[in-house]
């Protein structure tokens, strides 16, 4: 990666981190930013990376909630496991589609 790509990556992370911290989700912004701003060429890597980041974020946010118990930990575990399973499924099935089809499907969102 070039210096410019590193700077754009950090800036994109800040842009994505704001709605992530505010409302709990910013991953829909991550795909176009990584594809078109940062310049990652493979949509499979971008989508897999953002799905993994969302899953890890959900798991890590479950830890403090499990200690203070403001919500049902069992429900949180169910959601976390479901998201991780879907991420894995989409990662595996996404290999069957071309890069152009994946990019166009995210443009429609």
């Amino acid at each position: 990666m070039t210096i410019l790509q590193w700077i754009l990556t950090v800036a994109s992370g800040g842009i994505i981190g704001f709605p992530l911290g505010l409302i709990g989700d910013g991953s829909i912004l991550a795909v176009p930013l990584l594809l078109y701003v940062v310049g990652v060429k493979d949509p499979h890597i971008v989508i897999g990376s953002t799905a993994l980041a969302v899953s890890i974020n959900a798991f890590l946010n479950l830890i403090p909630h499990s200690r203070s118990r403001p919500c049902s930990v069992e429900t949180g575990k169910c959601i976390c496991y479901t998201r991780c399973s879907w991420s894995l499924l989409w990662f595996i099935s996404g290999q069957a589609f071309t890069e152009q089809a994946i990019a166009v499907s995210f443009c429609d969102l």
Side-chain angles (χ1 to χ4, degrees), residues 13-27 29 57 61 65:
I15 292 169
I16 295 164
F18 179 72
L20 185 64
L22 188 64
I23 60 173
D25 196 11
S27 61
L29 299 173
N57 186 33
N61 284 324
H65 287 289

Side-chain angles (χ1 to χ4, degrees), residues 9-57:
T9 301
V10 171
S12 296
I15 292 169
I16 295 164
F18 179 72
L20 185 64
L22 188 64
I23 60 173
D25 196 11
S27 61
I28 194 67
L29 299 173
V31 172
L33 282 173
L34 288 172
L35 279 174
Y36 302 116
V37 175
V38 176
V40 178
K41 300 293 182 203
D42 189 4
H44 295 102
I45 292 174
V46 171
I47 294 169
S49 299
T50 57
L52 180 63
V54 168
S55 300
I56 290 171
N57 186 33

Side-chain angles (χ1 to χ4, degrees), residues 39-105:
V40 178
K41 300 293 182 203
D42 189 4
H44 295 102
I45 292 174
V46 171
I47 294 169
S49 299
T50 57
L52 180 63
V54 168
S55 300
I56 290 171
N57 186 33
F59 177 72
L60 292 177
N61 284 324
L62 181 63
I63 295 169
H65 287 289
S66 67
R67 292 184 182 145
S68 62
R69 302 251 183 218
C71 61
S72 170
V73 176
E74 295 304 318
T75 303
K77 285 181 186 177
C78 180
I79 292 169
C80 181
Y81 295 146
T82 303
R83 284 188 117 173
C84 289
S85 300
W86 275 108
S87 296
L88 180 62
L89 176 71
W90 282 112
F91 174 73
I92 293 169
S93 65
Q95 298 296 321
F97 299 101
T98 65
E99 295 174 1
Q100 290 81 15
I102 291 173
V104 167
S105 70

